[in-house]
Amino acid sequence: MVVSEEKAPSSVTGGGTWRKSYAGGVIHGIAFAVHQALAEPNSVLPAFLAGLTPARWIVGAMTAMLIGGDYLLQFPSAYFLQGVARRKPYLLIAVGIRASAWAVLGALAYGLPSLSPEILLPLFLGLVLLYSLTGGLGAVAFADMVAGAIPANMRGRFYGLRSTLGSLLAFGSGYVVRMVLAPGAHTYPTNYGLLFLLSGLVLYVGVIGFSFMAEESRTVAPRPPFREYLRTAGRLLGSEPRYRGLLFMQLLSGSAMMAIPFYSLYAREQLGLTAAAVGLFVAMQVAGAAASNLIWGAVRDRFGSLVTARAALSLDLVIPLVALGLGQGLPVAFPVVFFLVGAAMGGKKLAFFNCLVDLAPAAQRPTYVGVNGSLSALSLLFPLTGGVLVEVLGYGWTFGLTALMGIIPIVLSLRMRVLKSL
């Protein structure tokens, strides 16, 4: 049984209404980009954790929380939202909680710098998990709202524009990070507390942006029993090979996270770069996203989402090799690694999301998004594996194995049947 959903007449994507939604979504994109730059998961957060504990596997565990928590709630959230006519309020609540998590963490680290690592570390991990879990609810509601409010032929440019404009401001945020973390500017952990507090406050602007987005009218049938909903998801996986192929490709693309959280630690511990270099890493990752996102959007609109995914996955494969090469021969150029990371992550995010939206029928869109998200939670194993590998084998072997793993999703993408819709 599939929950039926009939849309009432709506002008969400007609006339000038979609432009208001377009602007609201872009405002959120800018706010989220700045928020994430100030508390960047691949450079700022590992450096913060390095001051709390020498255990590198905890860095992998933190990254796993950010990935897994975000995905785990997507399937039950999709089940819940199937029976809800208005999904926008839940999106606003989810983003508000996420902003509050960073604001609270920042207030604690900045206002109570004497907190011991034994107290601050579990508080940090708990708030990160809360931030991540509420992202699962927000992701399902956001995907459905965008698909209903933004015309299909504008989505590529929509994501490209919001990412590029956000990246321009987030690039400047990298220099804020650099100044805050510069030697003598602030002591640890107040320096990171200031960054986290600013990050949370900026994300509240994203709540305002979402408040401008229109939501299509719909009537919904009662939810089926959850057991039947699980059977529906199972039938979906069994009957839709394109969807199944997309899931496996997206899941295995997460192998890049075996290495990404550890590039900044490698640069500091093996190459001798200072904590202030973290700000440069943030700026370069943002620059990579900014330089590439309009290109990714144009490629998607012209050649399709699957071609875009293949290009981003190919870039993923070479990044660990570039990191090893620069580390051995030209350490001063190591920030280029983060430029490439930003470009690859932006391309994958745009490509996979649009593949999913292109495949999903409107009535089943929350189910498609929810199943995709919850199964993608398995990718949390990759950063955990990376943390253990760094502890046991070191950075070089970890980066090399990551490059080898990057071959698999590319092969899967080549085996997917190329359809005009993708």
Side-chain angles (χ1 to χ4, degrees), residues 272-294:
L273 301 184
T274 66
V278 172
L280 181 58
F281 296 159
V282 172
M284 290 297 287
Q285 184 171 329
V286 168
S292 66
N293 269 318
L294 284 180

Side-chain angles (χ1 to χ4, degrees), residues 335-381:
V336 171
V337 170
F338 288 88
F339 182 93
L340 298 177
V341 167
M345 292 180 73
K348 288 192 299 180
K349 182 177 180 180
L350 184 147
F352 290 147
F353 181 83
N354 280 284
C355 277
L356 183 61
V357 170
D358 292 341
L359 277 174
Q364 294 180 274
R365 196 182 296 134
T367 304
Y368 272 69
V369 175
V371 172
N372 174 79
S374 291
L375 290 182
S376 295
L378 294 173
S379 61
L380 64 84
L381 297 174

Side-chain angles (χ1 to χ4, degrees), residues 120-134:
L120 189 54
L121 178 59
L123 284 174
F124 169 77
L125 294 176
L127 288 168
V128 164
L129 183 59
L130 174 64
Y131 169 84
S132 184
L133 287 171
T134 49

Side-chain angles (χ1 to χ4, degrees), residues 232-257:
T232 299
R235 288 194 293 268
L236 176 62
L237 291 172
S239 63
E240 178 52 89
R242 296 174 302 167
Y243 182 55
R244 189 167 59 248
L246 174 63
L247 286 176
F248 281 115
M249 181 176 64
Q250 184 173 349
L251 173 61
L252 290 170
S253 74
S255 61
M257 297 306 296

Side-chain angles (χ1 to χ4, degrees), residues 78-341:
Y79 171 74
F80 170 73
L81 291 175
Q82 283 276 39
V84 175
R86 291 294 179 184
R87 295 158 187 174
K88 179 177 176 179
Y90 298 97
L91 177 61
L92 295 175
I93 291 171
V95 179
I97 292 174
R98 284 160 68 84
S100 299
W102 285 109
V104 169
L105 177 61
L108 288 172
Y110 185 79
L112 299 172
S114 61
L115 281 177
S116 68
E118 290 77 12
I119 296 176
L120 189 54
L121 178 59
L123 284 174
F124 169 77
L125 294 176
L127 288 168
V128 164
L129 183 59
L130 174 64
Y131 169 84
S132 184
L133 287 171
T134 49
L137 174 61
V140 178
F142 175 66
D144 190 66
M145 284 190 61
V146 169
I150 307 298
N153 64 338
M154 296 296 296
R155 288 185 203 132
R157 281 180 281 266
F158 168 74
Y159 281 104
L161 180 62
R162 78 186 225 126
S163 297
T164 299
L165 292 179
S167 295
L168 291 175
L169 287 180
F171 183 83
S173 302
Y175 286 95
V176 173
V177 173
R178 187 178 179 88
M179 288 187 295
V180 170
L181 298 183
H186 299 275
T187 59
Y188 182 93
T190 57
N191 48 3
Y192 290 94
L194 179 59
L195 292 177
F196 298 158
L197 183 58
L198 291 173
S199 179
L201 293 176
V202 169
L203 191 53
Y204 283 122
V205 178
V207 180
I208 298 174
F210 275 143
S211 70
F212 289 118
M213 293 190 72
E215 183 175 12
E216 60 184 347
S217 300
R218 62 174 68 83
T219 58
V220 294
R223 299 185 192 93
F226 190 68
R227 182 179 298 177
E228 179 61 29
Y229 188 68
L230 288 173
R231 293 195 187 101
T232 299
R235 288 194 293 268
L236 176 62
L237 291 172
S239 63
E240 178 52 89
R242 296 174 302 167
Y243 182 55
R244 189 167 59 248
L246 174 63
L247 286 176
F248 281 115
M249 181 176 64
Q250 184 173 349
L251 173 61
L252 290 170
S253 74
S255 61
M257 297 306 296
M258 288 169 57
I260 288 176
F262 303 100
Y263 289 142
S264 64
L265 297 180
Y266 170 71
R268 293 186 61 189
E269 296 173 5
Q270 303 293 317
L271 308 183
L273 301 184
T274 66
V278 172
L280 181 58
F281 296 159
V282 172
M284 290 297 287
Q285 184 171 329
V286 168
S292 66
N293 269 318
L294 284 180
I295 298 174
W296 292 130
V299 169
R300 184 267 171 189
D301 288 346
R302 182 173 178 83
F303 299 105
S305 302
L306 188 55
V307 172
T308 308
R310 289 172 182 158
L313 290 169
S314 299
L315 184 57
D316 249 353
L317 185 150
V318 304
I319 292 173
L321 304 178
V322 172
L324 287 174
L326 292 177
Q328 295 296 319
L330 194 61
V332 70
F334 194 80
V336 171
V337 170
F338 288 88
F339 182 93
L340 298 177
V341 167

